[in-house]
Amino acid sequence: MAMSTDKQLLIVEDDEGFARTLKRSFERRGYDVLSADSLETVTALLASRRPSFAVVDLKLGAQSGLACVQALHEHDPSMVIVVLTGFASIATAVEAIKLGATNYLAKPSNTDDIEAAFARSGGNPDAPLAPRPTSIKTLEWEHIHEVLKDSDFNISEAARRLGMHRRTLARKLAKRQVG
């Protein structure tokens, strides 16, 4: 029972359980849901399908979801793309938006959050510009995530570039992970 493509959604997520839960939840809301777990699967699906919406996990195993965001946006610039991540940082949010994402959500996010993000695909020029004090810990966190992004989310390589032991970096990531 294929539905019209105006509510066709592609979920790009390598966590099978989470992907299955999201798929069922969106199907109950009337979406025709496709699933992929890698850039290769996304590319194969785009050969025959044209989803209007996409939810992309930032970290797909050893791959970065940013490549999927780029491929989806190049395929259809009007597609509404929401990036989900358990490793939220300003650096990856900026890259996701530059590559075509319309929104960026930290995990845990549910179907309501994602659907609200679909509706907020435009920017808000009235967003408050309140000054936010930046702590040393926040600066460290941002730097770690910039290096992680630059090393394609390879923890061993990021630890080497940061000059710290791999296990130390893994502990820092586990402690601050959002979701």
Side-chain angles (χ1 to χ4, degrees):
M1 84 177 192
M3 298 183 172
S4 66
T5 57
D6 64 328
K7 285 200 75 169
Q8 190 167 82
L9 165 67
L10 173 59
I11 296 172
V12 185
E13 171 65 63
D14 64 336
D15 178 334
E16 290 179 34
F18 183 60
R20 202 172 30 252
T21 301
L22 271 183
K23 182 178 192 303
R24 282 194 302 260
S25 185
F26 275 104
E27 284 173 343
R28 283 193 297 272
R29 293 173 186 230
Y31 287 82
D32 175 20
V33 183
L34 306 166
S35 295
D37 62 1
S38 66
L39 177 59
E40 295 75 24
T41 313
V42 167
T43 304
L45 278 170
L46 292 179
S48 62
R49 305 300 281 271
R50 195 174 180 91
S52 308
F53 301 95
V55 176
V56 180
D57 187 10
L58 183 64
K59 192 167 184 327
L60 300 168
Q63 295 181 326
S64 167
L66 293 175
C68 293
V69 170
Q70 183 176 29
L72 291 166
H73 183 69
E74 286 173 358
H75 180 73
D76 181 2
S78 68
M79 186 184 309
V80 178
I81 304 167
V82 173
V83 172
L84 288 181
T85 183
F87 300 93
S89 75
I90 292 171
T92 54
V94 168
E95 291 304 316
I97 300 303
K98 282 183 184 177
L99 291 169
T102 49
N103 229 309
Y104 182 94
L105 298 174
K107 287 180 178 176
S109 291
N110 61 29
T111 310
D112 290 335
D113 299 330
I114 296 166
E115 210 167 35
F118 287 161
R120 290 189 320 267
S121 60
N124 178 5
D126 298 320
L129 300 177
R132 183 187 75 146
T134 303
S135 70
I136 295 295
K137 285 185 179 189
T138 301
L139 289 173
E140 177 191 42
W141 185 244
E142 292 298 328
H143 181 63
I144 286 171
H145 281 281
E146 181 70 28
V147 173
L148 258 177
K149 179 183 68 68
D150 290 345
S151 57
D152 291 325
F153 296 93
N154 179 319
I155 291 176
S156 296
E157 176 60 19
R160 186 189 66 71
R161 291 180 186 185
L162 289 164
M164 68 174 64
H165 195 279
R166 185 196 167 292
R167 279 184 276 171
T168 302
L169 177 56
R171 275 195 304 274
K172 285 181 179 284
L173 292 172
K175 189 185 297 184
R176 288 282 307 260
Q177 184 175 354
V178 184

